[in-house]
Amino acid sequence: TYTLRGPDDFFEVSRSLATASEAGWGSDHLRLALVKPAAGSLVVSMAVFLGTLVSRQRLPLALGVPVSVLLSSVGPWLVFFWHRLVDPSEPWLPEFEGSGWGPSPLAQLF
């Protein structure tokens, strides 16, 4: 979506949620935009690490597998929708809303 819409249109709705007093960072989606990729990667890395502990028999299989499955299946979604958990009034997927669905910046290069 970022490639198709470009940076201005991608964050269009998130920027519209901001107020002037907060200097453009009033939206929790914008505030967390740079942290989400790192947090999502950390959640997946923790699930892989638990799998490593189970394979080396440092953690019981009955404990490691369910925790790893829970982390890898639910964890990234919690990170992805964290802005919605913090502020329920924000839209679920602000990247897909807005008016900027014209020709993409990538298509304009050709």
Side-chain angles (χ1 to χ4, degrees), residues 2-105:
Y2 185 86
T3 304
L4 291 175
R5 297 190 70 191
D8 294 331
D9 292 333
F10 186 79
F11 290 113
E12 173 188 5
V13 173
S14 296
R15 285 188 184 125
S16 71
L17 297 170
T19 61
S21 64
E22 293 168 329
W25 291 99
S27 167
D28 285 313
H29 181 263
L30 270 180
R31 197 175 301 127
L32 298 170
L34 298 176
V35 177
K36 284 182 182 181
S41 176
L42 180 63
V43 167
V44 172
S45 296
M46 288 188 315
V48 171
F49 179 68
L50 285 173
T52 302
L53 290 177
V54 168
S55 71
R56 294 182 181 181
Q57 299 175 348
R58 304 272 191 228
L59 188 66
L61 184 69
L63 176 66
V65 170
V67 172
S68 181
V69 167
L70 183 70
L71 265 178
S72 60
S73 61
V74 176
W77 289 108
L78 288 175
V79 171
F80 186 66
F81 289 119
W82 186 257
H83 68 280
R84 179 73 180 187
L85 296 172
V86 172
D87 185 5
S89 67
E90 290 202 6
W92 283 100
L93 296 169
E95 300 90 358
F96 293 107
E97 297 178 8
S99 60
W101 280 100
S104 69

